[in-house]
């Protein structure tokens, strides 16, 4: 089931990258060919980049693609190594639970306000924070279970 979720997230990220590229190209065309830029085409790609980054972080976690400094860790005995990795994963899960809760509270407070250039609520763009936090908790929880099963 997670593979389907991963594939869906990959498709969403690809679509967001395409939308960002289209918005930037349109803005360049309007600015340099037609002589007037699109006001929203500066702000919206920045918000989409946040979506791309957070959803991409989930995909990197699922594929164990994040940078890890494990040279010292590899010199430890297997049990200690496993305990340290589990503790690290649990700390990161705690961070994402906290991020999800606080970002949800932030959306409740200011999410109804429109962005400056379009009548789109800020909450639409901010919603990636609790969404990505939940995805990261799932990904890291799955990795924790796999660590204990494989060791």
């Amino acid at each position: 089931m997670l593979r389907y979720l991963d594939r869906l997230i990959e498709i969403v990220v690809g679509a967001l990258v395409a939308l960002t590229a289209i918005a930037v190209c349109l803005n360049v065309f309007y600015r340099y060919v037609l002589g007037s830029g699109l006001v929203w085409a500066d702000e919206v790609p920045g918000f989409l980049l946040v979506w791309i980054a957070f959803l991409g972080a989930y995909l990197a976690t699922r594929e164990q693609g994040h940078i890890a400094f494990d040279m010292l860790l590899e010199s430890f005995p297997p049990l200690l190594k496993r305990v340290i990795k589990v503790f690290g994963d649990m700390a990161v899960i705690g961070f994402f639970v906290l991020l999800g809760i606080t970002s949800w509270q932030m959306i409740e407070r200011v999410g109804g306000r429109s962005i400056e250039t379009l009548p789109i609520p800020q909450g639409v763009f901010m919603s990636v924070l609790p969404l990505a936090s939940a995805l990261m908790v799932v990904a890291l929880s799955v990795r924790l279970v796999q660590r204990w099963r494989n060791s």
Side-chain angles (χ1 to χ4, degrees):
M1 186 167 135
L2 283 177
R3 288 182 187 177
Y4 293 115
L5 178 62
D6 294 349
R7 184 70 182 135
L8 174 65
I9 299 296
E10 289 171 356
I11 291 168
V12 169
V13 169
L16 292 174
V17 168
L19 284 173
T20 301
I22 290 168
V24 170
C25 290
L26 274 174
N27 196 28
V28 168
F29 176 77
Y30 270 76
R31 182 168 291 153
Y32 294 106
V33 175
L34 302 179
S36 66
L38 298 170
V39 172
W40 60 267
D42 286 330
E43 185 177 31
V44 172
F47 287 130
L48 294 179
L49 182 60
V50 174
W51 273 80
I52 293 165
F54 274 90
L55 295 178
Y58 161 77
L59 292 172
T61 299
R62 288 284 295 138
E63 297 173 8
Q64 297 190 19
H66 284 286
I67 295 173
F69 300 100
D70 56 0
M71 193 166 101
L72 177 64
L73 188 63
E74 292 303 319
S75 67
F76 293 155
L79 179 61
L80 180 59
K81 186 183 343 179
R82 184 170 47 157
V83 168
I84 291 171
K85 285 182 178 182
V86 166
F87 178 76
D89 285 345
M90 289 173 55
V92 175
I93 287 172
F95 168 79
F96 279 108
V97 167
L98 183 61
L99 178 65
I101 291 168
T102 55
S103 61
W104 188 264
Q105 292 169 345
M106 182 178 64
I107 291 169
E108 287 179 337
R109 287 193 183 114
V110 297
R113 298 180 191 161
S114 292
I115 63 173
E116 292 184 26
T117 57
L118 289 173
I120 300 173
Q122 290 179 7
V124 170
F125 297 105
M126 299 164 90
S127 63
V128 71
L129 295 170
L131 172 65
S133 295
L135 289 170
M136 293 294 277
V137 168
V138 168
L140 291 165
S141 298
V142 167
R143 188 163 69 189
L144 272 174
V145 170
Q146 290 172 343
R147 272 197 215 288
W148 283 106
R149 284 186 181 166
N150 294 335
S151 298

